[in-house]
Amino acid sequence: MGCSTEQHVVGDDRGWDLALDFKGWASRKIFHVGDNLWFAYASSQQSILELKSREEFENCDVSNPIKLYDGGLDAVPLIEMGDRYFTSGNAEDCQHGMKVHINVLSDGLDNGQSNNFDVVSYGLDNVAKDLGLDLLSDGMEHYIATSTGDDSMEEGAIKEVIAEGPTSS
């Protein structure tokens, strides 16, 4: 049995809002092939651009978008796995954090089994990457290595057990 389709409203009930922490919002979500991403905003004041690369996203280079959304309520079907980059059509708003990167995972239908292992690993990988740390595994549990202060690493502070699965928000 595969995963059910999710409807993700970017920013939840606040929508596309400059005051929102979009990186934090995206880190609490799991995106799968078949889901839809929704952008809600005032079309008279904003537009949404999809960018093709991490470099464009990080530099807020809005000069060559692959897609423009300007309807005020736009659905973006997530039809394939991989990274997607969205930003405000206003480069200044982008520089102030009005942008979101998502990673679309498999829908889990390819082998008829749950995709929990991929989901949990994805979440931990992102946490480790954001903190600049290493992800370690003993086969059953994953650990994020933490610095001991002497430039060595040890298993420590953050641990998530596969059997518990992801938490939802």
Side-chain angles (χ1 to χ4, degrees):
M1 176 186 298
C3 301
S4 63
T5 298
E6 293 285 333
Q7 306 297 322
H8 303 280
V9 178
V10 177
D12 296 322
D13 58 350
R14 292 185 60 184
W16 190 244
D17 181 343
L18 184 58
L20 192 71
D21 171 15
F22 290 103
K23 186 175 183 178
W25 174 84
S27 73
R28 294 184 299 274
K29 306 292 181 184
I30 299 169
F31 305 96
H32 291 278
V33 170
D35 291 354
N36 288 303
L37 196 62
W38 289 85
F39 289 93
Y41 56 95
S43 62
S44 62
Q45 299 172 2
Q46 278 291 335
S47 62
I48 310 296
L49 303 178
E50 183 169 2
L51 304 177
K52 64 180 173 186
S53 72
R54 177 178 288 278
E55 182 179 356
E56 288 176 336
F57 176 78
E58 289 175 354
N59 294 321
C60 293
D61 178 357
V62 298
S63 64
N64 192 27
I66 57 176
K67 181 87 176 170
L68 165 69
Y69 300 93
D70 60 3
L73 182 61
D74 300 305
V76 179
L78 304 178
I79 58 174
E80 59 186 35
M81 291 174 43
D83 293 311
R84 305 278 299 266
Y85 304 98
F86 300 93
T87 183
S88 168
N90 179 326
E92 187 175 317
D93 286 347
C94 175
Q95 292 164 354
H96 288 103
M98 202 167 194
K99 58 185 180 178
V100 64
H101 162 235
I102 65 166
N103 184 281
V104 182
L105 303 174
S106 165
D107 61 9
L109 297 176
D110 51 349
N111 63 6
Q113 297 179 359
S114 170
N115 212 10
N116 277 352
F117 180 81
D118 290 340
V119 169
V120 173
S121 295
Y122 168 74
L124 289 175
D125 285 342
N126 279 341
V127 170
K129 186 184 335 174
D130 288 347
L131 296 174
L133 302 172
D134 296 322
L135 181 65
L136 310 172
S137 175
D138 66 6
M140 291 301 294
E141 297 180 345
H142 290 278
Y143 306 89
I144 295 177
T146 57
S147 175
T148 60
D150 61 1
D151 293 331
S152 65
M153 301 297 278
E154 69 180 7
E155 293 177 6
I158 304 172
K159 178 172 106 173
E160 186 167 331
V161 179
I162 294 292
E164 292 177 5
T167 58
S168 59
S169 56

